[in-house]
Amino acid sequence: MENKNIVISLFASAVVMFSACSGGDAEHDATGVFEATEVIVSAEQTGRLMYFDVEEGDKLAKGQQVGLIDTVQLHLRAMQLGATKEAYASRRPDVEAQIAVTRQQLAKAELEVERYAALVSDNAANRKQLDDAENNVRVLRRQLAAQTSQLNNTTGSLNRQMDAAEIERWQVVDQLRKCHITSPIGGTVLDKYAEAGEYATPGKPLFKVADVSDMMLRAYVTAPQLTSIKIGQKVKVYADIGEDGSREYRGVVTWIADKAEFTPKTIQTRDERANLVYAVKVKVVNADGLVKIGMYGEVDF
């Protein structure tokens, strides 16, 4: 009888211990998958990849150059447009120099008018001589105005042609800039789609880079949970790192969906009976680099 009592006591203690252990592993509020800002970098110009120094796993800084598309033809085109602009500039007339003779003739004619006017007033010359001198002044003034207008029009036309050549040259310079392949964000190279020596065309993917320093946990919550969540709220995030269990991080809610959706098959919500859920994004600083894209995570609000 005593042995039977001992067995019963041991069984009861085991049940209590199992219940305590089960209760200690509290269910988290929501489950999701970690994401990162991913950018696929594509070629923007046509030509052969002269070099392409990037490998999967490389860490790149924002704006870091990793490749170059052949620039010879574009460089020659830029030089040609620069020479065209200089040719237009050399054809611009020197307005003041070309109208200087007419100005001198006009000044002399105006003096003749003054001289004949004085002679006419003294009855030393007839009126016809004064009229001829005044008519000569009017002719020279119209000639000067016509010359000035024509030269200014020529100068303006050449200036516009110079501006057009300069704009086209800057377009080529922009195309030259786009031959330099750079990373638009700081991050880690996830995939590489091309090799040096291949022929690139605009839109051809070259590599994929992701910013894994700031990860985003996309989790799903039910409507009752939604009432206790707000943007900017600080939460606890747990990353599932496999056999080592989970690691806790601090996170901030940055986005809440305004429409419900059906629960994704890969996601378990707190209430598995709920068909409609709301997506939320929680930003996590991946300081230790252990959080990976596609890794499962949990969050407590």
Side-chain angles (χ1 to χ4, degrees):
M1 187 70 176
E2 183 177 356
N3 291 336
K4 183 178 181 181
N5 291 335
I6 293 174
V7 171
I8 294 174
S9 299
L10 291 174
F11 178 78
S13 299
V15 170
V16 171
M17 291 177 63
F18 177 79
S19 300
C21 292
S22 300
D25 186 13
E27 184 181 12
H28 296 291
D29 292 335
T31 303
V33 177
F34 284 100
E35 303 174 345
T37 301
E38 299 181 8
V39 177
I40 295 178
V41 181
S42 301
E44 296 183 80
Q45 290 298 315
T46 300
R48 192 171 304 281
L49 281 169
M50 304 306 294
Y51 84 90
F52 189 48
D53 186 15
V54 62
E55 297 295 338
E56 295 177 357
D58 288 351
K59 295 186 181 298
L60 304 178
K62 181 178 180 179
Q64 179 178 340
Q65 180 170 331
V66 297
L68 178 68
I69 297 174
D70 186 10
T71 62
V72 173
Q73 295 302 317
L74 289 174
H75 183 69
L76 293 175
R77 177 60 178 160
M79 293 177 60
Q80 181 185 22
L81 290 169
T84 300
K85 180 182 177 181
E86 292 179 1
Y88 287 139
S90 66
R91 290 165 52 189
R92 286 188 301 181
D94 187 342
V95 178
E96 291 301 321
Q98 294 196 30
I99 65 175
V101 174
T102 306
R103 284 188 185 278
Q104 290 178 350
Q105 292 174 346
L106 178 59
K108 182 179 179 181
E110 289 172 342
L111 290 175
E112 286 293 313
V113 169
E114 293 178 2
R115 187 170 68 85
Y116 279 115
L119 291 174
V120 169
S121 63
D122 293 338
N123 295 320
N126 57 44
R127 182 69 190 181
K128 184 179 182 305
Q129 290 176 306
L130 177 59
D131 292 341
D132 291 342
E134 290 176 343
N135 183 64
N136 189 37
V137 169
R138 286 192 293 269
V139 171
L140 288 171
R141 284 176 178 172
R142 285 194 294 268
Q143 183 179 344
L144 178 63
Q147 282 182 322
T148 304
S149 176
Q150 181 181 2
L151 292 171
N152 286 337
N153 288 337
T154 301
T155 301
S157 176
L158 290 170
N159 285 339
R160 287 188 293 271
Q161 289 175 307
M162 289 174 59
D163 292 340
E166 181 66 8
I167 292 172
E168 192 173 353
R169 191 182 74 85
W170 278 112
Q171 289 176 335
V172 175
V173 170
D174 180 63
Q175 292 173 347
L176 281 168
R177 179 186 60 81
K178 291 177 179 178
C179 288
H180 297 263
I181 303 167
T182 60
S183 177
I185 62 172
T188 302
V189 177
L190 301 182
D191 293 299
K192 180 181 179 180
Y193 307 120
E195 297 291 342
E198 291 185 10
Y199 194 80
T201 56
K204 177 181 179 179
L206 300 177
F207 67 97
K208 181 194 292 185
V209 61
D211 181 6
V212 295
S213 60
D214 288 328
M215 301 293 290
M216 201 71 67
L217 177 67
R218 179 187 284 269
Y220 294 86
V221 298
T222 60
Q225 289 177 293
L226 196 63
T227 58
S228 61
I229 303 172
K230 62 181 180 180
I231 293 178
Q233 178 178 341
K234 295 182 179 180
V235 298
K236 291 182 179 180
V237 177
Y238 302 89
D240 183 2
I241 56 176
E243 295 181 355
D244 295 333
S246 62
R247 182 179 290 269
E248 180 180 331
Y249 296 87
R250 294 187 179 275
V252 178
V253 178
T254 59
W255 175 79
I256 302 174
D258 55 358
K259 293 182 180 179
E261 59 183 284
F262 287 102
T263 309
K265 294 181 179 180
T266 57
I267 302 298
Q268 293 181 351
T269 63
R270 186 175 184 179
D271 184 357
E272 294 182 357
R273 294 172 299 175
N275 290 325
L276 293 177
V277 293
Y278 291 85
V280 298
K281 288 184 180 181
V282 179
K283 182 179 179 181
V284 177
V285 178
N286 189 18
D288 53 17
L290 295 179
V291 181
K292 304 295 190 299
I293 297 174
M295 182 182 290
Y296 279 92
E298 298 168 314
V299 57
D300 285 339
F301 299 106

